Coordinates of all heavy atoms in Angstrom, one line a residue:
S190 N 109.6 78.9 110.4 CA 110.8 78.9 109.5 C 110.4 78.4 108.1 O 110.8 79.0 107.1 CB 111.9 78.0 110.1 OG 113.0 77.8 109.3
F191 N 109.6 77.3 108.1 CA 109.2 76.8 106.8 C 108.2 77.8 106.1 O 108.3 77.9 104.9 CB 108.5 75.4 107.0 CG 109.4 74.3 107.0 CD1 110.2 74.0 108.1 CD2 109.5 73.4 105.9 CE1 111.1 72.9 108.1 CE2 110.4 72.3 105.9 CZ 111.2 72.1 107.0
S192 N 107.4 78.4 106.9 CA 106.4 79.4 106.3 C 107.2 80.6 105.7 O 106.8 81.0 104.6 CB 105.5 79.9 107.4 OG 104.7 78.8 107.9
I193 N 108.2 81.1 106.4 CA 109.0 82.2 105.9 C 109.7 81.8 104.6 O 109.7 82.6 103.6 CB 110.0 82.7 106.9 CG1 109.2 83.3 108.1 CG2 111.0 83.7 106.3 CD1 110.1 83.7 109.3
R194 N 110.2 80.6 104.6 CA 110.9 80.1 103.3 C 109.9 80.0 102.2 O 110.2 80.4 101.1 CB 111.6 78.8 103.6 CG 112.4 78.2 102.5 CD 113.2 77.0 102.9 NE 114.2 77.4 103.9 CZ 115.0 76.5 104.4 NH1 115.0 75.3 104.0 NH2 115.9 76.9 105.4
Q195 N 108.7 79.5 102.5 CA 107.7 79.4 101.5 C 107.3 80.7 100.9 O 107.1 80.9 99.7 CB 106.5 78.6 102.0 CG 105.4 78.3 101.0 CD 104.3 77.5 101.6 OE1 103.7 77.9 102.6 NE2 103.9 76.4 100.9
V196 N 107.1 81.7 101.8 CA 106.7 83.0 101.4 C 107.8 83.7 100.5 O 107.5 84.3 99.5 CB 106.4 83.9 102.6 CG1 106.3 85.4 102.2 CG2 105.1 83.5 103.3
R197 N 109.0 83.5 100.9 CA 110.1 84.0 100.1 C 110.2 83.4 98.7 O 110.4 84.1 97.7 CB 111.4 83.8 100.8 CG 111.7 84.7 102.0 CD 113.0 84.4 102.7 NE 113.2 85.3 103.9 CZ 114.2 85.1 104.7 NH1 115.1 84.1 104.6 NH2 114.4 86.0 105.7
A198 N 109.9 82.1 98.7 CA 109.9 81.4 97.4 C 108.8 81.9 96.5 O 109.0 82.1 95.3 CB 109.8 79.9 97.6
V199 N 107.6 82.1 97.1 CA 106.5 82.6 96.3 C 106.8 84.0 95.9 O 106.5 84.4 94.8 CB 105.2 82.6 97.2 CG1 104.1 83.3 96.5 CG2 104.8 81.1 97.5
G200 N 107.4 84.8 96.8 CA 107.8 86.2 96.4 C 108.8 86.2 95.3 O 108.6 87.1 94.4
E201 N 109.7 85.3 95.3 CA 110.7 85.3 94.2 C 110.0 84.9 92.9 O 110.3 85.5 91.8 CB 111.8 84.3 94.5 CG 112.7 84.7 95.6 CD 113.8 83.7 96.0 OE1 113.8 82.6 95.3 OE2 114.6 83.9 96.9
V202 N 109.1 84.0 92.9 CA 108.4 83.6 91.7 C 107.6 84.8 91.2 O 107.5 85.1 90.0 CB 107.5 82.4 92.0 CG1 106.6 82.1 90.8 CG2 108.4 81.2 92.2

Side-chain angles (χ1 to χ4, degrees):
S190 177
F191 275 75
S192 297
I193 292 171
R194 183 171 299 181
Q195 186 180 48
V196 169
R197 286 178 178 173
V199 171
E201 289 176 1
V202 171

